[in-house]
Amino acid sequence: MKTFSPKWIAPAGIAAVFLAGGSLTVPTFAAMRPILQVIPVSIHQPAQNPLQDLAFATPSTGWLAAQGELYATTDGGNHFRAIRLRGLNLTDLTPLTSHTLIAVSQSPSGAKLAISTNGGNSFTTRPLALNLANNVTFDTLSLGYAISPSRQQPDQGGTLFRTNNGGKTWIPLKTPEPALAVSIDANGFGYIFTQPKITSSNQAGYGEGAFYVTHNGGRSFQLVNRISGPGMIQGAQIKMVKNGAWVMVDGGAGMSQSSYTVFRLIGQQFKPVLALSTAGAGPAPGIPATHHTTPIPQGPGSYGGEIFPISATRAYFVGGCAACGYGTTSVTETMNGGKTWSKGTAIPAVNGMSYTHVTAFPSAQTGYLLIQGGQNGTVLRTRDGGLHWQAIYPSPKPSPVLGAQMITPKLGYGVGIPGAANDVLMTRDSGATWTIVGQLPVHNPLYNGPQSAQIVAFSSPNVGYIIGSDQHLYKTQDGGKVFAPFALKGGSGRASSIDMQGRFGYILGALGHHAWLTRNGGLTWLPAASTDPVSLMADAAGLAKTAIPTAARAQQANFLALGPTPDSGSFMLSSQTGYQSTRNGGKTWKRYMFPHDQWITWSAMQFLTPRFGYAFSTYDGLFVTTNGGQAWVNRG
């Protein structure tokens, strides 16, 4: 990163302004002599280790694993108790009972098998070969299985091992072909999924696999059936239930997509019941190119997460789409063995949270979903079989994730909580706590996630506007309790962004076809010639003929934020790397630089007093500053 002296004067006749964006450019707009002062900015966010795994033994008892920490709950996630783990970094949580938990701990120095019999309060450990650390399953405290990948082809099948003494020793088992997945119960009954050894003369083996059954704990195996197709096979997971079994086979991957196929034991064979082929990942694995029988239901999203069966005929499946609304997560359910699946609608307001999911359904109605990503990961809970979801971690207390605006240093409004995109929230303590005060009357949502633009705009503590998940504009006149549809003449009632700063504001119509501005807090709205957010706010505030909008366009600024008193001429241009502030109509500027490892995409920013300001990010939530912008604290 380049550094600057506190003051820098441009040569005569050259306009040099450092504005929005990470690069340093010399715009070619009207000449001026700016003095630019660079001010480092600090961003403070909660210090929490990212979550790595989730497991529940019952609907109320479960655990979350983070780096060096374990969080335990006995009330279904309403409260979590932190347990410090000295020298342990747990993954692959396997609960055997409400008190017995087995996990794997990996570190640069090696791997360990960690066993707790007191609900995770303490663990005994045993050395575990690194080659076994990623494929360990236990059905009792003593009986477990693991797969050691081939050294030559670690992404393909390997050797199956069994332990009868809780991991003290491991015995290799002979399998017909290299094993990719295993599930064998305490009675010695179970299945393995294998793939033929890949050689230079057998490249077709990448698309071949086989299911085998054992009745004696892996001492011998019998073929159930084989699968093959043009789709590549790269992994599998087997989930056994009473009188049945489900298997998810992972296919190719590319362009943030992955193909997959879910098989279920039907009669004496495993047959496909859910599949996804994508342009970036290729055909679904195990499906012949000549398959013309009963169509296989298509899985949700563009990549697979996890299959979680409840019984031989009922199961949940989690999928995602990285290219949909900043990344979406969907859950679908079958109650008839995969013949039909529920519509895999994306969970509202759970966007931009990465692509990895861990699922636990300890009962048919109660389920937990870990979405790994963002700063620390988010855990959702459903109590109605996946119809509705509620965030319970990092906090069960609601806070807006789609949009927010502070009206005063204490009072603010927001919209959207994980699982409920149209809930309206209010804060009276600068964003420290939020309460749900109303709900937008949305009937046909078009999207379920954040937009990059501002969607919350209040002109006073009682009067405000919010864009709903149907992209329609709604107005409240009672502080967010009741909303009614709002449309302007010449518009459709749909909007893509709205901003209100004091008495100045604008509405940008859907697809950017129409725009309106106000100079009296929304009492009247006038058609605007421009559809650029920066130009709209500059026009509304009477700044169109100053150097500010020109400078903003030169740096591709996202929006223009007015100062505590717009008439005084304090303005900011937002960017990911920082923002610029001028107090004299753009003649001189100060550049506030964010830390290089904490770049945040803002959708709103404004100073309400010379020292108090707020900013909102659809990825990270609400931030406030009380010292004029030199330090920002996350309240999300």
Side-chain angles (χ1 to χ4, degrees), residues 12-375:
I14 298 179
V17 178
F18 303 96
L19 300 172
S23 60
L24 303 180
T25 60
V26 181
T28 57
F29 50 85
M32 57 185 177
R33 296 169 61 86
I35 299 176
L36 180 64
Q37 180 182 0
V38 178
I39 302 173
V41 174
S42 61
I43 297 179
H44 305 279
Q45 302 200 61
Q48 292 175 312
N49 291 327
L51 295 180
Q52 301 177 148
D53 202 5
L54 167 151
F56 274 75
T58 70
S60 58
T61 302
W63 300 267
L64 308 178
Q67 296 179 5
E69 294 176 317
L70 186 69
Y71 302 94
T73 180
T74 56
D75 60 7
N78 294 326
H79 303 86
F80 282 97
R81 176 172 54 90
I83 303 172
R84 299 293 179 182
L85 303 174
R86 293 185 178 180
L88 294 180
N89 183 26
L90 299 184
T91 59
D92 298 318
L93 301 180
T94 303
L96 302 181
T97 69
S98 297
H99 303 284
T100 305
L101 181 67
I102 298 179
V104 173
S105 175
Q106 295 191 58
S107 68
S109 60
K112 299 176 182 178
L113 192 66
I115 302 173
S116 174
T117 56
N118 57 9
N121 291 317
S122 61
F123 286 85
T124 58
T125 61
R126 289 165 186 158
L128 182 67
L130 274 174
N131 62 323
L132 299 177
N134 294 317
N135 299 279
V136 179
T137 64
F138 273 81
D139 198 70
T140 69
L141 272 174
S142 57
L143 179 63
Y145 295 85
I147 296 175
S148 173
S150 167
R151 292 184 179 180
Q152 291 76 23
Q153 297 171 317
D155 58 337
Q156 303 301 313
T159 303
L160 179 65
F161 286 80
R162 182 183 68 219
T163 179
N164 297 314
N165 53 18
K168 295 179 181 178
T169 58
W170 293 86
I171 303 169
L173 301 176
K174 186 177 181 180
T175 58
E177 296 170 322
L180 272 177
V182 57
S183 181
I184 302 175
D185 64 22
N187 296 318
F189 176 81
Y191 298 92
I192 61 170
F193 180 73
T194 68
Q195 189 173 27
K197 188 174 182 179
I198 309 299
T199 64
S200 58
S201 60
N202 182 30
Q203 294 297 307
Y206 282 107
E208 299 176 357
F211 301 93
Y212 288 87
V213 64
T214 180
H215 298 270
N216 54 17
R219 293 180 178 86
S220 62
F221 293 91
Q222 293 80 45
L223 177 67
V224 178
N225 64 285
R226 295 186 178 275
I227 60 173
S228 65
M232 180 182 295
I233 294 176
Q234 295 197 117
Q237 52 179 282
I238 302 175
K239 301 290 181 68
M240 289 176 52
V241 292
K242 184 179 180 180
N243 300 323
W246 300 70
V247 182
M248 176 178 169
V249 178
D250 301 315
M255 297 170 57
S256 298
Q257 302 172 4
S258 66
S259 60
Y260 59 83
T261 304
V262 175
F263 294 84
R264 184 177 78 87
L265 186 64
I266 302 176
Q268 300 300 315
Q269 289 192 333
F270 283 92
K271 296 182 179 181
V273 294
L274 190 71
L276 180 69
S277 300
T278 72
I287 308 298
T290 57
H291 178 82
H292 298 296
T293 58
T294 304
I296 303 169
Q298 179 175 316
S302 61
Y303 60 88
E306 190 175 12
I307 182 73
F308 204 100
I310 302 297
S311 68
T313 57
R314 186 173 184 179
Y316 291 93
F317 182 82
V318 180
C321 178
C324 305
Y326 297 94
T328 60
T329 299
S330 304
V331 179
T332 182
E333 177 193 15
T334 180
M335 300 181 69
N336 55 15
K339 295 178 182 179
T340 59
W341 295 78
S342 63
K343 185 178 180 181
T345 304
I347 300 176
V350 183
N351 300 56
M353 296 182 180
S354 191
Y355 314 142
T356 307
H357 310 103
V358 182
T359 315
F361 271 87
S363 73
Q365 295 298 311
T366 302
Y368 299 88
L369 175 61
L370 165 59
I371 303 177
Q372 296 167 300
Q375 293 295 322

